[in-house]
Amino acid sequence: RRTGSGPGGEEEEDDECLHRLEEDDDEDEEEEEEEEEEEDGENKPKRRGPKKKKMTKARLQRFKIRRMKANARERNRMHGLNDALESLRKVVPCYSKTQKLSKIETLRLAKNYIWALSEILRSGKAPDLMSFVQALCKGLSQPTTNLVAGCLQLNPRTFLPEQTPDLPAHLPPAAAAAYPGHFSYQSPGLTPGLPSPPYGSMEPSHIFHQVKGQPYGPLEPFFDGVLVSDGPAFDPPLSPPLSINGNFTSSFKHEAAAAAEYDKSFSFSMHYGGGGAGGHIYGGGGGPNPRCAELQVDGLMGFDGHSHHERLMNAQLNAIFHDS
DNA sequence: TAGGCCATCTGGTCCT
DNA sequence: AGGACCAGATGGCCTA
């Protein structure tokens, strides 16, 4: 959205003007040596720092040129920043060209996502879906939460108990059955412009997979102390226990070792197009890791092939949550 | 219309 | 000196 914004006008005009000024600049070079002694105030203390030079015509022009150059650089810098942010949007859950996450929400979601994935690596456990979504949505605005929920095929009311006084939080499957409308995301107009289906689907029994006495299901320790929605602000560790070159923490290392080629087909690599055509997610192809769902993802492209993004994201998330 | 988000300009600071 | 980075200010666009 770069049309007609900003008080300064168009970039092209700036460039033209800049050229004109640069040409004029050579003409009155000799004027520039004038300096002005500040003698205006007898009582005023002497001003420190470099003396202010009089703004001659040439100096003014050079100043303008400098300013324009600086503005152009600043614009480019911000465009680069925005490009990077756009790339980030594409690798966090729920990328949508039509309804873009705001900058701040993108950063927050990315932080949550990184942290949640790091926890998966650290613990080696597939998370409970609700825990995962809660972790993703911590600190996000309601619209963004809706968006994430939409992308994950969830009704946000099922995982934001503090915002849903009309619906008991964390219902057991039986209760879930009593609220049939609440457990499938219906794109209810909460999120106009939401990327259209197909999304993966989640059975209520899957969503509410729980163990007695554990509010978030059997894998909850995984997000221990973080997901209590009415607790203090979510503040994951600044340095998640993840190393890019495969330094998993010990418990997971063993599993990973047992899973042999696990990391070769790990979802991170798929994210960046490493999966290749017909790749499997999470050590598919009969890999020894029992938690790893086998998913056929045909025709995977590099991550720049965004038409596959939603499917990819879905596949990854399904793989994560497939707790067989 | 208010508020959120954004792009841009601008001046300051730090670094090379 | 000039570039990178930053934060404040400003005004436009959009939506509830």
Side-chain angles (χ1 to χ4, degrees):
Chain A
R1 197 177 50 136
R2 297 199 53 252
T3 53
S5 64
E10 301 293 324
E11 290 171 41
E12 292 84 6
E13 288 177 16
D14 278 1
D15 286 343
E16 263 188 45
C17 190
L18 196 147
H19 281 307
R20 256 182 275 133
L21 283 169
E22 273 177 334
E23 285 165 11
D24 294 346
D25 189 37
D26 300 333
E27 295 172 9
D28 30 23
E29 192 70 35
E30 65 279 358
E31 291 181 31
E32 80 171 296
E33 294 309 323
E34 294 177 21
E35 287 198 9
E36 184 190 23
E37 290 291 332
E38 306 222 355
E39 303 166 7
D40 45 345
E42 319 82 47
N43 301 333
K44 289 180 186 173
K46 274 199 172 179
R47 200 172 156 275
R48 295 188 180 203
K51 293 173 183 173
K52 260 202 171 177
K53 292 184 175 180
K54 194 178 183 179
M55 269 297 191
T56 64
K57 188 180 169 189
R59 199 181 307 285
L60 193 63
Q61 283 181 346
R62 270 199 298 279
F63 173 80
K64 285 181 182 173
I65 291 169
R66 218 172 38 236
R67 203 52 261 172
M68 283 178 171
K69 283 182 178 174
N71 289 347
R73 279 196 308 273
E74 180 65 8
R75 268 198 305 269
N76 285 337
R77 200 180 67 86
M78 294 311 294
H79 290 169
L81 196 59
N82 289 340
D83 288 348
L85 206 56
E86 185 60 26
S87 315
L88 186 59
R89 279 193 187 100
K90 290 170 183 170
V91 297
V92 296
C94 79
Y95 171 66
S96 164
K97 274 185 179 173
T98 52
Q99 190 180 5
K100 278 167 58 172
L101 291 179
S102 71
K103 294 179 176 183
I104 185 70
E105 294 289 88
T106 300
L107 292 175
R108 285 180 181 139
L109 179 57
K111 181 199 75 174
N112 292 351
Y113 188 42
I114 289 169
W115 186 85
L117 292 178
S118 301
E119 281 301 294
I120 292 174
L121 290 182
R122 187 184 62 77
S123 67
K125 293 175 179 175
D128 173 76
L129 174 63
M130 295 227 301
S131 302
F132 189 78
V133 175
Q134 279 187 319
L136 282 187
C137 293
K138 276 284 175 181
L140 300 185
S141 68
Q142 183 61 57
T144 307
T145 299
N146 291 339
L147 191 61
V148 173
C151 289
L152 298 184
Q153 270 282 42
L154 265 180
N155 188 319
R157 303 208 293 172
T158 62
F159 62 82
L160 289 178
E162 72 276 15
Q163 296 169 6
T164 60
D166 56 335
L167 184 68
H170 308 310
L171 300 175
Y179 293 90
H182 286 105
F183 305 112
S184 63
Y185 185 73
Q186 301 167 359
S187 191
L190 282 172
T191 56
L194 200 70
S196 50
Y199 298 126
S201 62
M202 285 292 173
E203 294 296 317
S205 59
H206 189 169
I207 294 171
F208 291 96
H209 186 167
Q210 282 184 317
V211 163
K212 266 186 186 173
Q214 293 189 340
Y216 294 106
L219 303 170
E220 186 270 341
F222 186 81
F223 290 113
D224 217 354
V226 175
L227 293 165
V228 183
S229 23
D230 52 355
F234 174 55
D235 197 11
L238 288 175
S239 305
L242 161 66
S243 163
I244 291 175
N245 45 16
N247 272 337
F248 305 129
T249 51
S250 57
S251 66
F252 189 57
K253 208 185 283 178
H254 293 150
E255 281 204 34
E261 302 301 304
Y262 176 86
D263 55 350
K264 285 185 183 170
S265 54
F266 188 60
S267 55
F268 276 152
S269 60
M270 291 190 50
H271 240 78
Y272 297 97
H280 293 192
I281 294 180
Y282 261 119
N289 188 339
R291 287 197 194 89
C292 296
E294 180 177 352
L295 289 175
Q296 291 283 349
V297 183
D298 50 333
L300 280 180
M301 311 163 48
F303 201 73
D304 282 340
H306 301 307
S307 60
H308 292 276
H309 174 266
E310 285 156 17
R311 281 172 58 201
L312 253 179
M313 189 64 69
N314 244 355
Q316 290 174 40
L317 291 172
N318 281 337
I320 289 171
F321 295 117
H322 188 100
D323 48 343
S324 56

